[in-house]
Amino acid sequence: MGRPSKGRQRIEIRRIEDAGRLEVTFSKRKSGLQKKASELFLLCGSPVALVVFSPGKKAFARGTPSVDDVLRRYAPIPGEELDAKLLAVLQDTDDANAIADRAEAEAIVRRTEETRARSATEKARMDAIGKTVRQAAAKAGRKFWWEADSDELGEDELPEFAKMLRRLRVNLQRHLDSLSARLHFPDAEDNLTFNDTMIALQLMRAQFPKLDKVVAQPFIVQSQLYSSVKDRTQVDRDLESFKRDKVLRIFKLSSGQDDHAIMFMDDYLKQVAFAIKRSGGKDQDGSEVFEWFERYVVPSKLDVSINQLELCSLLSRGGDVTDKHITLLMNAGLLTRQLIDPNIYWFSIPRIGPILKGLSQGRKEILSLLNRRKYKEMLLSSLENTKLRLSPLDTRFLLRDLIGSGHIKTVQTPTGLLARISRD
Amino acid sequence: MWLEDVRGRERGELRARRFEASARARRAASLALSNRKEFATPHHGAVNSLQVDLTEGRYLLSGASDGSAAVFDVWNATEYEAGFIAKHRNILLVDKQHQNGHRFAVSAAVWYPVDTGLFVTASFDQYVKVWDTNSTQVVMEFKMPGKVYTAAMSPVATTHMLIATGTADVQVRLCDIASGAFTHTLSGHRDGIMSLEWSASSEWILMSGGCDGAIRFWDIRRAGCFRVLDQSRSQLGKRPPLVKSAVENDHTDSLGPSPSTRSSAQKRAGISKKSSPALRKIQNLTHGQMQQRLHPGLSSSQNRATAHYGAVTGLRTTTDGMYLLSSGSDSRLRLWDIDSGCNTLVNFEAMRLQTGKPLQLAVTEDPSLVFVPCMASIKAYNLWSGTTFRTFRGHYELVNCCYYSEQDQELYTGGNDRQILVWSPSTPAFTEMEDDDKTLSGADEDNWSD
């Protein structure tokens, strides 16, 4: 039938020669013997005392109610007849004591059983709740239990669900804090890789550099993700599924190289609102196009670019579209054109010009800094402490991007991580 | 490991095919610069194209930038250096001195797929020439309207002998050797064509990659292309999902009917019902666009979907004909599922690719590794996960082409340094000393001991 092991076998009752097996057998059988002794007292009311000496010459004594009690009662030490009074008391109230002892022991045992039963029922209840939550999550098509639709859960699941969510949040915050603390000291922890794209995205969003004069919602450059998550194909596939679920949007940056920026949907909408306000607000004529854009174009077109026909057809669900409307969109920075194809409009993050400039300048500066050195390498810790002259962005942001795009590679050395220009 | 496999084969535990596949895979994984074989290249210019003939796997054809094409015998060396290093000299050379030779660089040289009696060369002097191998004479030549970047012949063709050529002109031309004329002109690309590949499963399907970044699939029995690969249409994984999730076709596809068995009129009625007010408004607004009448199953030539953000510089199918690899001048390598036309989103690690020239990629037969020329080295990637398997450094300058010979498990690469390098499965050092008459047991012997 293909059983994994042969199960319990009969063994020969002889002294075991092998020392290891001897000790294991001793401890297992000793505990069994002690259990049987206590059961005998409970079932038949007979006081039992058990003394066992282990192969290591240790003594284990067990008795109910206690070893001393039993022995003094039934096998009195000759020198202790002076305490005959005590002994007599013990002997007289033998039955009462025994009954009291037994009652107490039984009470303890009962309490233990009750607690065990209670914990079992509680566990069963939590399991049932967990199953319901997971089913609700699966029904909504989500992978994780915390994405379960709370309307689907019943009233006994909701409090537990809320408690678990709070606990998850606390754990996640703790994890993020520890990770960000770790990243400040890279030579202490050289393992900068995670295996979840969303964790990496959240972490990098939290560590987005804050510039003085620019108000911008955080975004992540795609090559930064590759420096933190090992499996690039999985990152791409996760990004694709997040994009389809409208959790985030991907934009092609016009920096000349193949750069993409990732922004969470709510951050993007906030940035769009800010850009609209800055570009002239809602009191220009034609400004209803901003609302059409947000309502019709953003939710339905999830790609990085859109061609003219489709843009017009989507916008015209709101009303008549003229060229002036598209001009307004371009002036606000929501759409751009790139050299690749004149008929295609590209979605863009508005008002991040200084950041993009800082990105390209910073890349060049770090690469030239490394190239000037004799062996084109530098310790990562000292690199992170250098202040860049031409770029306001912090070095860690730029280093992640350079490592992920392959210009710099990191090498583990006894003194920490080393960053080196990678030759092709 | 060899020994265990052989014993397993003896006892019948390992099947013949399994044994063969594992032996090939092991040899492919141990590729290194060959220490017993080299080619003495006669070229005075960069080597642009390499191909071993498909019938025997014996003759290597190379085309170079000085207008010369040469043939080498891969199995038998012409001489042996130092006793065991095989030196292969060219058996045949056609260059500028030849009375009908090319005047400018040869960009592609391919064998006639049926036998080694003919080979075809394409050159920047706008000519495609067909040569007879034995007499080394030009049998036929075709004049093209622009510099010819690539030429290809279908390896599974039985009913036609067409050479597909891609030039700096926007049309793909098919030349017929049997009649000496152009049979087809395929239009649809908006810029020159840098790479062509025939399908490995059908003799009628041709894939072309252009400088506009589009990859088009053509069925040469019909008039237009039936698919354009779009990098934003993607599938998560090797196989397309069973339930077709809402993959929204862009509106240019909806101008013409998508490939389906329903009649075109019904489909157009269906689309117009959905978006008729919007469609009418579009037609009022965009005066420049013309409504194109399309046959069922064909894709519009106004479909501007791109497969890469730059030019498509190299195309290669896997030998089972199910996947297509494309390299672009945006330094990306993409793997496409041919059946569904989707990008499989395999991310091949960072690389810098040459942008101006067509590149030749190579794939192993059980498609597990893909060899890509990256600047001055060749990188081998795992096909399904995109991780770098190995980097082969040996060329002094940029590498242009690589060819993997499945029969011997050897990789031939050619570059701007005019060399053709051989990478073969590495053998342990002690077997080289064949004329050493001491009996060594390799395990307890080192290079110093007597």
Side-chain angles (χ1 to χ4, degrees):
Chain A
M1 241 46 78
R3 288 183 188 208
S5 67
K6 283 156 75 176
R8 281 170 179 249
Q9 304 272 7
R10 286 184 69 133
I11 58 167
E12 214 185 302
I13 301 297
R14 248 173 19 99
R15 189 191 162 86
I16 300 176
E17 299 305 316
D18 176 23
R21 265 190 57 207
L22 182 92
E23 295 191 347
V24 168
T25 313
F26 171 77
S27 65
K28 284 185 171 176
R29 286 196 180 237
K30 169 182 72 68
S31 60
L33 196 58
Q34 286 174 342
K35 188 162 167 235
K36 293 268 188 242
S38 57
E39 279 174 10
L40 184 62
F41 168 71
L42 283 176
L43 290 169
C44 310
S46 58
V48 172
L50 180 70
V51 180
V52 185
F53 289 91
S54 76
K57 306 287 180 288
K58 281 213 195 122
F60 296 88
R62 176 86 176 264
T64 50
S66 87
V67 181
D68 279 337
D69 239 1
V70 174
L71 287 178
R72 287 214 184 110
R73 212 183 297 169
Y74 295 105
I77 303 166
E80 278 186 2
E81 264 134 62
L82 305 167
D83 295 321
K85 198 167 46 154
L86 192 61
L87 211 58
V89 163
L90 281 174
Q91 278 179 341
D92 278 346
T93 57
D94 195 342
D95 294 324
N97 234 2
I99 293 171
D101 283 343
R102 194 191 318 162
E104 204 180 307
E106 279 178 2
I108 291 174
V109 168
R110 213 182 317 125
R111 268 211 302 275
T112 329
E113 306 278 64
E114 265 174 46
T115 323
R116 209 175 291 151
R118 251 203 313 198
S119 69
T121 51
E122 181 71 26
K123 185 170 177 328
R125 186 176 78 97
M126 291 300 280
D127 280 344
I129 289 179
K131 202 150 67 95
T132 332
V133 169
R134 270 187 207 283
Q135 275 170 358
K139 201 155 44 130
R142 299 279 193 266
K143 213 167 39 149
F144 300 113
W145 63 267
W146 55 80
E147 288 166 321
D149 191 7
S150 44
D151 298 333
E152 302 281 321
L153 303 173
E155 55 166 88
D156 36 349
E157 281 103 27
L158 276 174
E160 298 300 327
F161 191 56
K163 210 174 1 166
M164 290 310 292
L165 278 179
R166 251 174 270 141
R167 201 180 301 172
L168 175 71
R169 191 176 48 174
V170 167
N171 282 345
L172 204 57
Q173 188 63 41
R174 219 179 290 153
H175 187 57
L176 279 177
D177 288 340
S178 74
L179 284 176
S180 54
R182 236 190 280 159
L183 280 170
H184 282 297
F185 307 102
D187 37 3
E189 183 68 64
D190 46 27
N191 177 13
L192 301 173
T193 57
F194 331 116
N195 52 9
D196 194 9
T197 317
M198 185 46 96
I199 293 184
L201 281 168
Q202 302 275 17
L203 181 70
M204 289 182 195
R205 183 180 174 276
Q207 291 175 344
F208 189 70
K210 305 221 176 323
L211 299 182
D212 306 336
K213 302 188 202 95
V214 181
V215 174
Q217 302 294 320
F219 64 89
I220 301 125
V221 184
Q222 193 163 348
S223 46
Q224 291 178 332
L225 278 180
Y226 296 141
S227 72
S228 301
V229 186
K230 242 196 200 32
D231 189 355
R232 290 167 175 240
T233 307
Q234 193 55 41
V235 169
D236 275 0
R237 289 184 178 154
D238 286 340
L239 283 177
E240 179 70 25
S241 47
F242 288 140
K243 189 179 83 165
R244 284 192 196 157
D245 296 338
K246 302 191 192 155
V247 173
L248 43 83
R249 273 198 85 97
I250 303 186
F251 302 91
K252 184 168 187 310
L253 296 175
S254 53
S255 65
Q257 298 172 20
D258 183 23
D259 285 322
H260 290 266
I262 302 161
M263 210 177 197
F264 284 95
M265 192 57 104
D266 3 341
D267 291 336
Y268 175 60
L269 294 174
K270 272 190 238 164
Q271 186 78 4
V272 166
F274 171 65
I276 294 173
K277 203 159 42 133
R278 272 314 188 84
S279 81
K282 296 279 185 170
D283 38 85
Q284 308 168 54
D285 50 314
S287 65
E288 61 271 10
V289 71
F290 294 125
E291 206 197 305
W292 301 343
F293 184 76
E294 211 172 305
R295 202 187 310 169
Y296 300 119
V297 180
V298 170
S300 43
K301 187 70 180 170
L302 303 169
D303 296 327
V304 289
S305 64
I306 183 171
N307 75 11
Q308 169 141 16
L309 277 178
E310 201 177 346
L311 176 68
C312 293
S313 76
L314 284 172
L315 283 177
S316 49
R317 284 197 211 161
D320 277 326
V321 180
T322 62
D323 286 338
K324 194 166 48 144
H325 291 124
I326 303 191
T327 315
L328 271 178
L329 284 174
M330 289 182 73
N331 281 344
L334 299 172
L335 290 178
T336 52
R337 291 163 92 144
Q338 294 190 11
L339 284 174
I340 300 171
D341 192 340
N343 288 330
I344 295 187
Y345 295 102
W346 300 78
F347 292 105
S348 73
I349 309 177
R351 305 201 80 90
I352 52 165
I355 304 184
L356 289 183
K357 177 157 180 247
L359 183 68
S360 59
Q361 298 275 44
R363 275 181 187 160
K364 272 191 267 190
E365 191 173 345
I366 292 187
L367 287 177
S368 72
L369 204 115
L370 283 176
N371 267 320
R372 269 182 279 151
R373 297 176 78 88
K374 184 171 179 189
Y375 292 110
K376 303 198 192 326
E377 61 192 21
M378 199 161 144
L379 273 183
L380 203 63
S381 46
S382 46
L383 200 55
E384 291 203 349
N385 292 335
T386 48
K387 191 84 177 63
L388 294 176
R389 283 184 313 129
L390 300 169
S391 165
L393 298 172
D394 68 314
T395 335
R396 187 177 53 185
F397 184 84
L398 292 162
L399 275 175
R400 276 207 194 116
D401 166 64
L402 284 171
I403 293 174
S405 57
H407 289 94
I408 292 185
K409 67 170 188 276
T410 51
V411 175
Q412 184 62 263
T413 62
T415 43
L417 273 180
L418 192 73
R420 186 184 290 165
I421 299 263
S422 64
R423 64 183 176 119
D424 227 358
Chain B
M1 331 137 281
W2 264 114
L3 218 46
E4 282 167 20
D5 277 357
V6 169
R7 288 226 184 89
R9 183 83 193 92
E10 274 178 356
R11 284 177 288 195
E13 288 167 358
L14 207 54
R15 290 263 149 110
R17 281 297 185 92
R18 267 307 251 320
F19 178 69
E20 184 195 342
S22 75
R24 276 178 203 259
R26 193 178 308 125
R27 278 169 68 89
S30 68
L31 281 179
L33 194 54
S34 173
N35 45 11
R36 16 179 48 192
K37 194 189 249 192
E38 64 178 22
F39 286 103
T41 19
H43 298 299
H44 297 295
V47 179
N48 286 330
S49 147
L50 284 175
Q51 196 198 31
V52 174
D53 74 292
L54 303 165
T55 43
E56 274 185 294
R58 184 171 172 180
Y59 297 104
L60 175 69
L61 173 65
S62 68
S65 288
D66 62 342
S68 61
V71 174
F72 301 84
D73 183 341
V74 171
W75 295 351
N76 302 324
T78 46
E79 64 200 15
Y80 281 85
E81 222 176 75
F84 58 89
I85 298 184
K87 205 173 173 90
H88 297 251
R89 286 195 188 279
N90 57 303
I91 309 173
L92 197 153
L93 178 68
V94 289
D95 56 6
K96 284 189 185 149
Q97 266 78 44
H98 195 278
Q99 64 183 137
N100 288 333
H102 286 291
R103 290 193 348 239
F104 297 144
V106 170
S107 56
V110 293
W111 284 107
Y112 180 50
V114 178
D115 61 42
T116 52
L118 290 180
F119 64 89
V120 178
T121 55
S123 155
F124 280 1
D125 63 359
Q126 307 182 1
Y127 278 95
V128 172
K129 296 189 195 237
V130 181
W131 302 76
D132 178 329
T133 325
N134 295 317
S135 61
T136 330
Q137 294 301 321
V138 174
V139 173
M140 203 175 288
E141 59 182 35
F142 301 95
K143 173 91 171 65
M144 296 287 154
K147 291 198 311 194
V148 189
Y149 285 122
T150 175
M153 290 193 74
S154 171
V156 293
T158 49
T159 51
H160 67 80
M161 39 172 84
L162 298 173
I163 309 173
T165 57
T167 65
D169 182 47
V170 299
Q171 292 171 328
V172 181
R173 285 188 161 72
L174 294 177
C175 320
D176 190 11
I177 302 184
S179 61
F182 296 106
T183 51
H184 290 71
T185 308
L186 307 171
S187 341
H189 278 285
R190 293 197 307 280
D191 201 352
I193 291 138
M194 260 208 183
S195 53
L196 282 172
E197 177 88 348
W198 286 90
S199 160
S201 47
S202 163
E203 57 178 334
W204 310 109
I205 298 190
L206 175 65
M207 295 165 273
S208 64
C211 293
D212 54 354
I215 297 179
R216 284 177 179 253
F217 278 55
W218 311 86
D219 184 332
I220 61 175
R221 294 168 293 187
R222 296 148 116 207
C225 80
F226 65 90
R227 186 180 290 149
V228 182
L229 292 181
D230 185 353
Q231 61 182 312
S232 51
R233 277 190 56 197
S234 46
Q235 69 192 32
L236 307 173
K238 269 165 47 163
R239 291 264 170 277
L242 287 172
V243 173
K244 216 162 189 256
S245 55
V247 176
E248 298 153 23
N249 289 324
D250 40 340
H251 273 238
T252 46
D253 263 2
S254 74
L255 282 178
S258 63
S260 69
T261 51
R262 290 176 283 171
S263 71
S264 55
Q266 185 189 356
K267 186 77 163 102
R268 243 179 260 138
I271 294 170
S272 59
K273 240 190 296 186
K274 255 186 287 176
S275 57
S276 64
L279 208 53
R280 251 181 274 130
K281 281 191 185 152
I282 303 169
Q283 286 169 350
N284 291 341
L285 183 64
T286 57
H287 354 272
Q289 301 275 16
M290 278 193 309
Q291 194 81 336
Q292 210 184 20
R293 268 256 299 264
L294 289 172
H295 291 280
L298 292 185
S299 180
S300 161
S301 69
Q302 289 167 4
N303 186 343
R304 306 183 97 104
T306 53
H308 281 271
Y309 286 124
V312 179
T313 49
L315 283 179
R316 179 68 61 200
T317 54
T318 53
T319 44
D320 52 7
M322 287 179 28
Y323 296 96
L324 175 69
L325 275 159
S326 68
S327 71
S329 61
D330 56 351
S331 297
R332 292 274 196 102
L333 193 65
R334 291 192 205 270
L335 182 68
W336 306 86
D337 181 336
I338 290 183
D339 191 36
S340 63
C342 292
N343 181 358
T344 55
L345 289 181
V346 178
N347 187 314
F348 293 93
E349 285 172 11
M351 62 181 88
R352 285 200 283 271
L353 297 177
Q354 278 190 64
T355 51
K357 265 181 139 159
L359 291 180
Q360 200 179 344
L361 312 171
V363 191
T364 56
E365 191 175 317
D366 56 332
S368 56
L369 289 179
V370 53
F371 299 97
V372 183
C374 289
M375 304 314 253
S377 62
I378 299 104
K379 288 206 174 147
Y381 291 95
N382 182 322
L383 194 70
W384 307 118
S385 66
T387 50
T388 314
F389 177 68
R390 191 163 307 164
T391 309
F392 298 105
R393 294 205 170 92
H395 279 279
Y396 296 126
E397 288 181 41
L398 301 177
V399 183
N400 296 324
C401 50
C402 59
Y403 191 87
Y404 182 73
S405 158
E406 193 54 50
Q407 214 175 25
D408 312 317
Q409 294 90 46
E410 281 184 346
L411 179 70
Y412 306 109
T413 58
N416 281 2
D417 56 354
R418 311 175 209 153
Q419 298 294 323
I420 299 177
L421 292 182
V422 182
W423 309 80
S424 45
S426 48
T427 48
F430 70 90
T431 60
E432 282 179 12
M433 307 292 161
E434 281 165 7
D435 49 355
D436 208 286
D437 41 18
K438 280 181 275 186
T439 50
L440 316 160
S441 65
D444 52 15
E445 204 61 37
D446 59 13
N447 287 333
W448 294 278
S449 61
D450 291 315

